[in-house]
Amino acid sequence: RDFHERCAQCSEVNWGLTDGGRFYCRTCHNVTERTREVVSTDIIPNARIQTISKGLRNRQKADEGWEWYVCEGFQLVLKKQAEALEALGVCPQMKDEILCNFWRRYLQKSQQAYCNRPAREAVRALSVCDSSTDVDSEPERPSFLHLLSLSESDGDLQTDCSFASSTGKVSESTSVCSGSVDGSLYLMKNGKEKLRMSMPMTLSFCYMALLWLREPMTLSDLLRFVVEGHIPYLNVYQHFPEKMKLYGLDLKIFCVESWPVYEEVYSKMLELAAFLDLPRFPDITESCFLHPDTLCMKYLMEVNLPDELHNWTCRVVKKVCIGEADFLTLTPGNKSTRKVKYDVLAAAVIVVVLKLLFLLDDHYEWLLSDFAAERNKNNKEGGPYFEFKKWYKVIKCSLDVEQKKLDEERAKYLWRCEKPLFYSVKKKSKVLRRRQMVVNLQSQFGKLSGSVRPAERPNPSSFQLSWSEENTDGTCFHGHSLKGILQEKNGVLTAINPDYWLCTVKLCTEKLCGHLAHYREVDFPQSYHFVLRLFSFLLRIQPSYIHEEVCVIEHKLFNKKLCKKPKYNTGLRK
């Protein structure tokens, strides 16, 4: 009756006593550390029962949690992401043998652990705030530096004692500034510091490990699984242990309120591989999923194009020498080689092949479609001829539906997680009370409006668009023939179309620009833009990135004609 504090879980005041003398909440059954002290009547006669223990005033401060560092928080995020990838079918060696070694090497290179850390850095980390007051220690906790792999030994590396601390001492000043010990110091560091850890960099670590193992998962697939919620990234801090308090400045570090960006994650991965002094990655050969021939086959199936186009993509890959292991394999720190985005490269090859066969100039592809439609009316043997116009209508309808669904899901996404956050311990009960009120109101309004609960998250799949040849409505074009647009010349099938238009005559060479080509929709045919938009949706990137790769492949494909000086001032057409 004399204990009037609110429950930390449900904010109710409805306490009972356990057999051990601790207070528990009758509403949510949460057991607290507060105990009821009973003075033995055998020693002191006529003694009263004390309602609440008053001997440990600092116990409430000790309940604030463990002492932890920012790098430990990121390590826990990496652990959760690696476990999610394993659940998706990634090789079990990724977490304990690959990602763990990458992370330990990063901690050593950045002098955060596994090294003799300068004493002044430890002093700065513990003196971020103006004052500190030690409290009673708690039972020992496991070091987060061993969470990634509990089976491996640390070798001969010397771990910094401040990061492997097994005591749970927490300073009052640390609680005010942030839940972590060095949260303030982390944000005060110079922005030019080499590869300061961030949430997007956790995805760079994961992709680097996937690339090292040559797993059948591209960067676009990884980021899509993140957005769909299969890999922890958004609101990942809700997976932190209860004793690992997160508030204050920590929210600026671990709280993500934007979707991961392809270019940022990829560029950080390249910088990270060079920073860690990693050797040449395992070779990307023709048997690997990341090889252009394999990825082109996958994307041709997904965008519902004829299977015969795969022979043409293989010919382009061989002609421009982008299927060689030396070109595809990542060599960190080698600035002379161009870094490959495997999914973007495969999509660009398909676009180039479509331009070779159909021209995509808003005129020629429609003439070929009319010709194929006439042939299909009289064709009674073999498979149907491929009609670009019919394919365009089918794909555009599906693409518009999927794009609208994606836009609605992103617009309705709630950035706040179910686990409420608070910037200070004093406001915890107030935040919990407000959160409970919001949940109750949402439940009541949902019942009144009759709204349907959101459907469960779909199972992850490598294909976003699926087409079955068993459909009788003619929406699957995999088995359609390209005979209407090909002709045999000297025993080799060539395109009837003799022309080709270049996206750009000259690539941009300015270093400050950072791009080899630029893209504006109004400057190009609508058919070309539609194909770019289709692959842009599948890869979740801007069309300009695919356009840039298309320009590079074109210049390799027509290198001899581009280097040859024309006799007349005419554009390159044939």
Side-chain angles (χ1 to χ4, degrees):
R1 289 179 300 178
D2 298 328
F3 188 32
H4 300 295
E5 290 189 11
R6 292 187 177 274
C7 176
Q9 297 292 336
C10 63
S11 303
E12 296 290 336
V13 182
N14 187 15
W15 299 102
L17 283 175
T18 64
D19 295 337
R22 292 187 177 184
F23 288 93
Y24 76 94
C25 179
R26 290 192 178 98
T27 303
C28 66
H29 304 287
N30 175 40
V31 181
T32 68
E33 298 293 334
R34 301 293 294 272
T35 59
R36 181 177 181 179
E37 183 178 341
V38 179
V39 181
S40 177
T41 56
D42 297 336
I43 302 176
I44 305 176
N46 300 325
R48 294 188 304 169
I49 296 178
Q50 302 294 328
T51 306
I52 302 176
S53 174
K54 308 212 178 196
L56 299 176
R57 296 185 178 180
N58 290 329
R59 172 72 63 160
Q60 184 179 359
K61 295 178 181 178
D63 290 340
E64 292 175 359
W66 286 326
E67 178 184 84
W68 63 281
Y69 290 80
V70 172
C71 71
E72 292 178 318
F74 281 118
Q75 179 165 291
L76 187 60
V77 173
L78 287 172
K79 179 176 179 289
K80 294 295 182 181
Q81 292 175 346
E83 291 173 350
L85 287 170
E86 287 186 13
L88 293 176
V90 173
C91 177
Q93 298 177 350
M94 174 190 169
K95 185 181 76 169
D96 292 339
E97 297 184 14
I98 307 301
L99 186 59
C100 181
N101 289 329
F102 286 166
W103 177 243
R104 287 176 174 175
R105 192 172 182 86
Y106 171 79
L107 293 178
Q108 186 184 29
K109 284 279 187 179
S110 58
Q111 297 185 354
Q112 298 184 59
Y114 304 105
C115 65
N116 296 323
R117 194 181 184 200
R120 58 183 178 85
E121 291 294 331
V123 173
R124 287 185 62 189
L126 295 176
S127 60
V128 173
C129 304
D130 296 335
S131 60
S132 62
T133 305
D134 291 339
V135 297
D136 295 338
S137 61
E138 291 182 340
E140 293 185 359
R141 68 170 175 93
S143 172
F144 280 92
L145 287 175
H146 302 282
L147 283 181
L148 281 178
S149 174
L150 299 176
S151 59
E152 293 186 359
S153 60
D154 292 338
D156 298 329
L157 295 175
Q158 297 295 325
T159 307
D160 187 351
C161 61
S162 63
F163 287 90
S165 173
S166 61
T167 60
K169 295 185 178 181
V170 183
S171 64
E172 180 181 1
S173 58
T174 303
S175 302
V176 175
C177 294
S178 63
S180 61
V181 174
D182 59 340
S184 299
L185 177 63
Y186 179 88
L187 294 176
M188 288 169 55
K189 288 180 179 180
N190 188 359
K192 296 182 180 180
E193 182 185 357
K194 288 186 177 181
L195 288 179
R196 184 174 65 176
M197 194 63 189
S198 62
M199 285 300 296
M201 271 188 64
T202 60
L203 300 179
S204 300
F205 266 101
C206 291
Y207 179 61
M208 187 167 60
L210 292 172
L211 186 57
W212 184 274
L213 291 171
R214 296 177 292 185
E215 286 288 330
M217 184 181 296
T218 61
L219 178 56
S220 58
D221 291 333
L222 175 67
L223 299 186
R224 179 167 56 86
F225 291 149
V226 167
V227 174
E228 292 176 356
H230 301 295
I231 300 176
Y233 179 76
L234 306 173
N235 301 327
V236 69
Y237 46 79
Q238 63 183 341
H239 300 292
F240 282 18
E242 185 65 26
K243 289 291 184 179
M244 196 171 174
K245 301 299 180 180
L246 184 83
Y247 51 85
L249 297 177
D250 298 327
L251 302 181
K252 295 183 178 181
I253 302 173
F254 295 99
C255 185
V256 179
E257 293 187 352
S258 61
W259 306 103
V261 181
Y262 185 103
E263 194 67 24
E264 179 183 5
V265 175
Y266 182 78
S267 60
K268 286 295 182 182
M269 186 275 295
L270 297 179
E271 294 179 22
L272 191 59
F275 176 71
L276 300 182
D277 292 331
L278 295 180
R280 175 185 165 115
F281 278 51
D283 289 349
I284 304 297
T285 59
E286 294 183 359
S287 60
C288 296
F289 175 81
L290 298 177
H291 193 275
D293 291 345
T294 307
L295 279 179
C296 284
M297 182 186 300
K298 186 245 184 187
Y299 290 136
L300 286 173
M301 294 175 60
E302 191 161 12
V303 298
N304 199 13
L305 285 170
D307 299 332
E308 294 181 13
L309 283 176
H310 185 246
N311 295 328
W312 284 83
T313 59
C314 293
R315 290 171 63 178
V316 171
V317 169
K318 185 177 180 179
K319 180 71 175 179
V320 297
C321 301
I322 58 176
E324 305 295 331
D326 291 337
F327 174 81
L328 296 172
T329 306
L330 175 62
T331 304
N334 189 355
K335 298 181 179 180
S336 60
T337 58
R338 188 168 182 264
K339 305 304 183 289
V340 180
K341 302 171 184 174
Y342 304 98
D343 41 11
V344 180
L345 178 66
V349 170
I350 296 177
V351 175
V352 170
V353 169
L354 291 177
K355 288 182 64 179
L356 285 170
L357 300 181
F358 300 96
L359 200 59
L360 300 184
D361 65 345
D362 291 343
H363 178 69
Y364 187 75
E365 62 270 22
W366 308 126
L367 292 178
L368 290 178
S369 296
D370 295 338
F371 173 74
E374 291 294 330
R375 296 287 295 269
N376 285 330
K377 292 180 181 180
N378 302 324
N379 183 25
K380 297 181 180 180
E381 298 180 359
Y385 288 8
F386 177 70
E387 300 179 35
F388 187 89
K389 184 184 296 184
K390 188 176 180 181
W391 172 83
Y392 172 83
K393 293 179 179 179
V394 172
I395 295 298
K396 187 177 186 304
C397 181
S398 298
L399 180 60
D400 292 341
V401 171
E402 294 296 328
Q403 186 68 56
K404 182 179 179 181
K405 186 187 302 183
L406 177 63
D407 295 339
E408 290 179 353
E409 290 177 355
R410 291 194 171 188
K412 294 178 181 179
Y413 185 80
L414 298 177
W415 293 102
R416 293 184 179 181
C417 64
E418 297 179 358
K419 181 180 179 181
L421 297 174
F422 45 91
Y423 286 85
S424 66
V425 180
K426 296 179 182 179
K427 296 181 180 180
K428 180 177 180 179
S429 60
K430 186 177 181 181
V431 172
L432 292 174
R433 205 163 50 243
R434 288 183 176 179
R435 178 62 180 172
Q436 187 64 34
M437 184 184 302
V438 170
V439 172
N440 293 337
L441 289 174
Q442 288 178 344
S443 177
Q444 293 175 8
F445 279 112
K447 292 179 180 179
L448 291 175
S449 61
S451 60
V452 181
R453 291 185 177 181
E456 295 184 359
R457 186 173 56 197
N459 295 328
S461 174
S462 297
F463 291 88
Q464 303 174 65
L465 304 175
S466 59
W467 314 93
S468 175
E469 296 184 8
E470 299 177 357
N471 294 343
T472 58
D473 55 358
T475 57
C476 182
F477 298 89
H478 290 161
H480 287 214
S481 174
L482 298 178
K483 292 181 180 179
I485 60 174
L486 299 178
Q487 62 181 357
E488 187 173 351
K489 187 176 182 180
N490 298 328
V492 180
L493 288 176
T494 60
I496 296 178
N497 166 40
D499 297 335
Y500 190 93
W501 58 272
L502 291 174
C503 294
T504 180
V505 177
K506 185 178 181 181
L507 298 176
C508 182
T509 57
E510 293 199 13
K511 296 182 179 179
L512 297 178
C513 174
H515 297 281
L516 297 176
H518 302 276
Y519 177 75
R520 290 198 313 165
E521 180 181 352
V522 296
D523 296 336
F524 295 91
Q526 287 300 310
S527 297
Y528 176 73
H529 173 70
F530 172 77
V531 175
L532 290 188
R533 176 172 164 251
L534 174 61
F535 285 104
S536 172
F537 169 78
L538 294 179
L539 304 184
R540 300 292 197 271
I541 59 175
Q542 295 296 326
S544 58
Y545 294 123
I546 305 175
H547 171 76
E548 181 179 354
E549 197 67 42
V550 169
C551 295
V552 175
I553 295 177
E554 288 178 343
H555 276 252
K556 289 182 178 180
L557 191 61
F558 299 102
N559 181 45
K560 293 183 179 179
K561 293 187 177 182
L562 288 172
C563 294
K564 184 178 179 181
K565 294 183 179 180
K567 297 181 180 179
Y568 306 100
N569 294 329
T570 58
L572 178 63
R573 292 291 296 175
K574 295 186 179 180

